Amino acid sequence: MTIDFELRKSPSIRIAAIRWTGPYSEKRIRARFEEVAKWARSRGVRTGRWVFREPGNRTWETGVEVRGKVTSEGRVRVRTLPAATVARVQFDPEVVSPRLVYHGLSDWTRWRKRDKTIRSVVSSREIYHGNPWTDRNAWSHTEVQFVVRTK
């Protein structure tokens, strides 16, 4: 499998999400994803991509892209992630180690800062085209994005 890093414009994404602060926990991430998906299903909302973000230091956000008219309720907040320039890579975690991908993307963006293509990395996010725990196709097309500021 060949993977490559690229700089690209990402469109805005409207998501229903739950945010929390604390240590990284795979169990908590999965539970929050399932809670948001259940919330969307109970309201008959059309859903799309699944987004896992780290918008700050030890702050996490799991969300599901929503389409149509929907408002925040309870712990689930509806918000729009604005269009942004991202450094991205798409890969299969069964073939290429995520640790290797994150390290490579981090180094690649560091070199883009040195050659003044980008100014800084703002945040990171993972995007899946469905539930990565139950949909093998969604898992095999994991996309990692670093939101960057350009000149």
Side-chain angles (χ1 to χ4, degrees):
M1 170 180 226
T2 303
I3 62 170
D4 197 11
F5 308 116
E6 65 179 340
L7 215 51
R8 164 187 280 188
K9 275 293 218 186
S10 176
S12 63
I13 306 171
R14 189 162 181 249
I15 62 171
I18 296 175
R19 181 183 282 197
W20 74 96
T21 302
Y24 179 90
S25 167
E26 183 87 23
K27 185 177 178 183
R28 181 177 274 178
I29 292 166
R30 184 174 183 171
R32 297 295 189 264
F33 264 131
E34 290 172 356
E35 186 177 340
V36 173
K38 182 179 176 183
W39 177 89
R41 260 193 318 274
S42 70
R43 282 148 187 79
V45 177
R46 291 183 329 147
T47 60
R49 298 172 285 185
W50 291 39
V51 180
F52 173 65
R53 298 184 37 199
E54 182 185 8
N57 191 20
R58 295 176 57 104
T59 301
W60 314 98
E61 187 174 63
T62 54
V64 177
E65 182 180 23
V66 291
R67 299 179 183 115
K69 190 174 182 178
V70 63
T71 58
S72 301
E73 187 177 320
R75 289 177 9 145
V76 178
R77 299 286 174 229
V78 177
R79 59 184 307 220
T80 300
L81 304 178
T85 302
V86 296
R88 69 178 284 275
V89 62
Q90 190 172 29
F91 69 105
D92 183 352
E94 298 295 329
V95 177
V96 180
S97 169
R99 201 176 304 177
L100 180 65
V101 168
Y102 271 94
H103 181 74
L105 190 56
S106 179
D107 281 353
W108 189 81
T109 54
R110 186 178 310 126
W111 280 99
R112 298 296 71 83
K113 282 192 257 184
R114 284 186 182 176
D115 68 15
K116 308 238 188 283
T117 307
I118 64 173
R119 280 189 315 179
S120 63
V121 175
V122 178
S123 65
S124 65
R125 57 190 179 196
E126 294 175 11
I127 300 196
Y128 306 96
H129 295 278
N131 184 340
W133 289 277
T134 60
D135 183 357
R136 178 129 176 79
N137 191 42
W139 178 249
S140 67
H141 291 91
T142 298
E143 184 176 330
V144 175
Q145 296 180 347
F146 285 4
V147 179
V148 297
R149 286 195 180 109
T150 56
K151 286 184 128 183

